């Protein structure tokens, strides 16, 4: 395509002087500008990794002092850090499983069946995604913490104690819409004739689903699950409202940075980054091989 | 087909089950959303028209007191949200458009690699990225330190953290990928032959860009703006970590009122004003860009 574009422009009469200068500048300016923008996007990550090798002079890892691998040798060595990481992983795993299951079912219903209210639901399902996270978290807090509003008037300080389970409830809630949208995108190009063929060959609906439908939508379900996991493990704003005294990794980071900025934060951040990059690189390489 | 739309004279059991299938599939997920999204939202609304405190109990009085108080007391913070969030959105368009254009039309075999680098920030925590900005913009940090001492073009007292500039820089940074991706999707779909046709018809490069490429990219600009503006205007983390008490945004007020002061009515009213403000802005913006006509 690119070569076709150049050959046409060569065949055309040259434009005005300004046009030619514009073209010359455009050819150079765009890649330079893009490189600078990419640098802007990557520099905090570079800072994060570089400062994971710092030995801060005080409690705050804000200025470079001297090179050290202490943080990498003791990545969990800070009170509260291992527990918060474990809680984050637990919430993310459970929320991913539940949200992926519930969201996939909604996605199936929305794409494969005609029912009353489908059009409405197709729009409404975007609402949780369009609501500011702050509002999602705050409104859940008003549900859990109680509520002296009628009919619950009275001295009920907490209707439902905030903690691990309320974080899980919140994470499932905000993940469902993302799962539905991802699964729907995969189902959009789905060829129903494959299912009909299976039924014609004598398979019942249950067998057809597991042998034909499910394998075909599996990539979409996996993508949705990965997205849900990533959103869940990184969530701070919503979690900060419903966590109570339970720490997750982001909550722990936020609470500690008033008093200290341990190098371990950079180490864990770098590990998460490297694992994610490694995973994506591996799957990309594998799918490139599979295509060949 | 499992669905039965026509009126069958005597629906058998099988058909009844078939008709129930979509509702059965929907039930658990929708129940979750009703319980934990719709009901809390309704409850927030009830709080916003109530008076009282957590200790004495709230009274559902259906008065607009909290809204009046919210608007009159926190005009500055609403202004900050609008200004910082709006500036960040405009900046992401200015930075993101050339990047998306380059990836879509000039990326060649590096296209996927550049896209990968655009989403790389998502592979690390939002909080840690913002903390990295704090390190980066710090008074003696990697950026200002050399400018002050080695190069010496800035006075020793120059500071960025705590200023609106730092907050906007953080917001722009954190939400830039949300602008680049939809822009890329919109630009990538454009048939290059349309641009060539314009140039064959003696449009200048700029003319072809303005009359062909830009209008076709507008849905991407629209989608990106929504994805950036909603979280940016409701954000409180950037203002908290990179700003100062003077740069508080409405998100900081809402968070503080809910979690520390337990002033639910005002906090709920502020949330609703924020939400409807965003909704109104999106509607006006859609009219202005004429996106409906374009995507039609």
């Amino acid at each position: 395509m690119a070569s076709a574009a150049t050959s046409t422009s060569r065949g055309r009469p040259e434009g005005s002087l300004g046009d030619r200068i514009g073209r010359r500048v455009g050819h150079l300016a765009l890649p330079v500008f893009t490189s600078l923008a990419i640098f802007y996007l990557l520099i905090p990550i570079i800072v994060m990794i570089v400062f994971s090798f710092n030995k801060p002079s005080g409690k705050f890892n804000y200025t470079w002092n001297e090179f050290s691998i202490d943080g990498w040798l003791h990545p969990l060595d800070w009170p509260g850090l291992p527990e918060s990481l474990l809680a984050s992983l637990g919430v993310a795993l459970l929320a991913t499983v539940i949200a992926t299951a519930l969201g996939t079912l909604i996605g199936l219903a929305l794409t494969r069946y005609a029912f009353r209210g489908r059009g409405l639901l197709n729009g409404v399902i975007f609402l949780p995604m369009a609501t500011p996270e702050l509002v999602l978290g705050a409104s859940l807090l008003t549900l859990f913490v109680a509520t002296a509003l009628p009919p619950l008037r009275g001295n009920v300080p907490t209707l439902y104690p905030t903690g691990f389970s309320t974080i899980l409830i919140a994470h499932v809630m905000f993940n469902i819409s993302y799962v539905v949208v991802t699964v729907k995108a995969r189902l959009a190009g789905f060829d129903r004739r494959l299912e009909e063929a299976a039924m014609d060959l004598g398979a019942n609906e249950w067998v057809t689903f597991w042998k034909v439908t499910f394998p075909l939508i599996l990539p979409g379900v996996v993508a949705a699950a990965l997205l849900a996991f990533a959103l869940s493990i990184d969530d701070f704003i919503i979690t900060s409202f419903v966590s109570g005294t339970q720490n997750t990794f982001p909550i722990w980071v936020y609470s500690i940075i008033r008093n200290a900025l341990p190098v371990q934060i950079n180490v864990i951040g770098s590990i998460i980054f490297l694992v994610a990059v490694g995973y994506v690189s591996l799957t990309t390489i594998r799918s490139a091989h599979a295509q060949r | 087909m499992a669905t039965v739309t026509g009126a069958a004279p005597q629906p058998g059991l099988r058909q009844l089950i078939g008709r129930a299938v979509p509702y059965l599939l929907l039930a658990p997920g929708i129940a979750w959303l009703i319980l934990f999204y719709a009901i809390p939202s309704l409850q927030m609304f009830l709080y916003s028209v109530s008076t009282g405190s957590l200790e004495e109990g709230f009274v559902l009085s259906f008065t607009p007191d909290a809204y009046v108080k919210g608007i009159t007391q926190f005009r500055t913070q609403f202004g900050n949200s609008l200004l910082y969030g709006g500036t960040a959105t405009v900046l992401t368009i200015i930075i993101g458009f050339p990047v998306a254009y380059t990836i879509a039309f000039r990326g060649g075999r590096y296209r996927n690699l550049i896209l990968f680098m655009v989403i790389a920030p998502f592979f690390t925590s939002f909080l840690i990225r913002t903390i990295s900005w704090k390190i980066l913009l710090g008074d003696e940090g990697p950026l200002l330190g050399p400018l002050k001492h080695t190069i010496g073009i800035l006075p020793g007292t120059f500071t960025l953290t705590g200023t609106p500039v730092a907050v906007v820089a953080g917001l722009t940074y954190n939400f830039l990928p949300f602008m680049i991706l939809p822009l890329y999707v919109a630009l990538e779909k454009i048939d290059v032959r349309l641009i060539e046709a314009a140039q064959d018809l003696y449009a200048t490069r700029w003319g072809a860009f303005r009359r062909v490429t830009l209008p076709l990219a507008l849905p991407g600009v629209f989608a990106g703006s929504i994805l950036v503006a909603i979280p940016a205007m409701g954000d409180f983390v950037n203002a908290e970590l990179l700003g100062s008490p003077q740069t508080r945004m409405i998100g900081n007020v809402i968070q503080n009122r809910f979690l520390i002061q337990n002033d639910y009515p005002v906090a709920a009213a502020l949330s609703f004003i924020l939400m409807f403000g965003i909704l109104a802005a999106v509607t006006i913006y859609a009219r202005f860009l004429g996106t409906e006509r374009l995507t039609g």
Side-chain angles (χ1 to χ4, degrees), chain B residues 27 54 93 106 113 143 158 165 181 188 194 200 203 220-221 224 226 245 258 269 272 283:
Chain B
L54 193 65
I93 299 176
R106 308 267 301 276
L113 181 68
L143 182 69
F158 186 85
V165 175
L181 293 179
E188 202 258 347
L194 288 174
D200 286 345
V221 177
I226 289 176
F258 261 121
F272 269 96
T283 315

Side-chain angles (χ1 to χ4, degrees), chain B residues 85-173:
Chain B
T87 312
T89 310
V90 172
L91 283 175
T92 56
I93 299 176
I94 294 173
I95 299 172
F97 200 100
V99 174
Y101 186 91
T102 310
I103 305 172
F105 293 118
R106 308 267 301 276
R109 62 203 184 90
Y110 297 111
R111 186 184 274 200
N112 286 336
L113 181 68
I114 308 175
L115 275 175
F116 180 71
M117 291 196 279
V118 166
I119 59 165
F122 292 152
F123 294 152
T124 183
S125 151
F126 166 63
L127 264 182
I128 296 181
R129 269 181 277 149
T130 313
I131 293 171
S132 281
W133 267 106
K134 198 170 166 146
I135 296 177
L136 205 62
L137 300 178
D139 286 347
E140 300 298 325
L143 182 69
L144 292 190
L147 285 176
K148 280 179 184 173
H149 307 299
T150 324
I151 308 174
I153 53 165
L154 289 175
T157 52
F158 186 85
T159 180
L160 271 177
T161 39
T163 65
V165 175
V167 179
V168 172
L171 288 172
T172 308
Y173 169 76

Side-chain angles (χ1 to χ4, degrees), chain A residues 2-269:
Chain A
S3 65
T6 15
S7 67
T8 348
S9 61
R10 241 182 238 135
R12 245 172 356 100
E14 285 289 313
S16 67
L17 182 67
D19 202 16
R20 264 179 297 170
I21 292 173
R23 204 174 309 159
R24 185 71 54 83
V25 172
H27 260 271
L28 260 176
L30 276 178
V32 172
F33 185 90
T34 303
S35 312
L36 286 174
I38 297 290
F39 182 66
Y40 173 64
L41 282 170
L42 295 184
I43 191 159
I45 298 170
I46 299 168
V47 168
M48 172 185 78
I49 296 175
V50 169
F51 273 71
S52 74
F53 292 104
N54 189 18
K55 187 186 187 131
S57 54
K59 279 202 286 185
F60 287 92
N61 185 18
Y62 279 131
T63 37
W64 182 260
N65 187 37
E66 78 176 84
F67 181 86
S68 148
I69 53 165
D70 281 1
W72 285 87
L73 291 177
H74 311 283
L76 297 175
D77 194 12
W78 204 275
L81 171 58
E83 294 84 353
S84 70
L85 266 177
L86 240 112
S88 267
L89 282 172
V91 168
L93 280 173
L94 287 171
T96 301
V97 171
I98 302 172
T100 307
L102 300 184
T104 303
L105 294 181
I106 298 180
L108 277 169
L110 279 175
T111 38
R112 298 178 66 250
Y113 297 94
F115 55 91
R116 207 176 276 228
R118 195 176 86 158
L120 180 72
L121 190 59
N122 257 322
V124 168
I125 203 75
F126 280 102
L127 270 181
M129 293 165 79
T131 312
E133 282 190 272
L134 182 79
V135 180
L136 291 178
S139 49
L140 268 174
L141 176 75
T142 62
L143 179 76
F144 297 140
V145 172
T147 151
L149 281 180
L152 293 158
R153 191 195 299 273
N155 282 331
V156 193
T158 312
L159 184 66
Y160 190 87
T162 47
F164 188 92
S165 60
T166 51
I167 301 177
L168 182 60
I169 287 173
H171 284 210
V172 171
M173 185 271 293
F174 74 73
N175 269 329
I176 288 179
S177 300
Y178 286 96
V179 173
V180 172
V181 172
T182 313
V183 169
K184 258 179 65 185
R186 173 77 193 184
L187 277 165
F190 188 83
D191 191 347
R192 296 266 333 222
R193 284 174 301 182
L194 292 170
E195 287 175 340
E196 283 159 24
M199 307 254 246
D200 285 347
L201 293 169
N204 63 28
E205 279 165 31
W206 187 249
V207 173
T208 308
F209 179 80
W210 287 111
K211 296 265 177 182
V212 179
T213 317
F214 189 71
L216 281 169
I217 64 166
L218 188 61
V221 176
V222 171
L226 286 173
L227 178 66
F229 186 84
L231 288 171
S232 174
I233 202 148
D234 191 29
D235 183 75
F236 168 70
I237 294 184
I238 297 174
T239 312
S240 72
F241 280 94
V242 296
S243 62
T245 52
Q246 171 73 52
N247 272 344
T248 62
F249 179 61
I251 298 287
W252 176 81
V253 169
Y254 193 76
S255 67
I256 197 132
I257 53 176
R258 288 159 209 274
N259 308 313
L261 184 59
V263 69
Q264 276 79 7
I265 291 181
N266 293 54
V267 174
I268 302 288

Side-chain angles (χ1 to χ4, degrees), chain B residues 9-10 16 35 41 47 55 81 83 86 99 124 138 147 184 192 272:
Chain B
Q10 270 183 335
L16 270 178
L35 261 177
S41 301
Y47 271 121
E55 292 79 30
S81 278
L83 184 66
V99 174
T124 183
L147 285 176
Y184 166 74
V192 185
F272 269 96

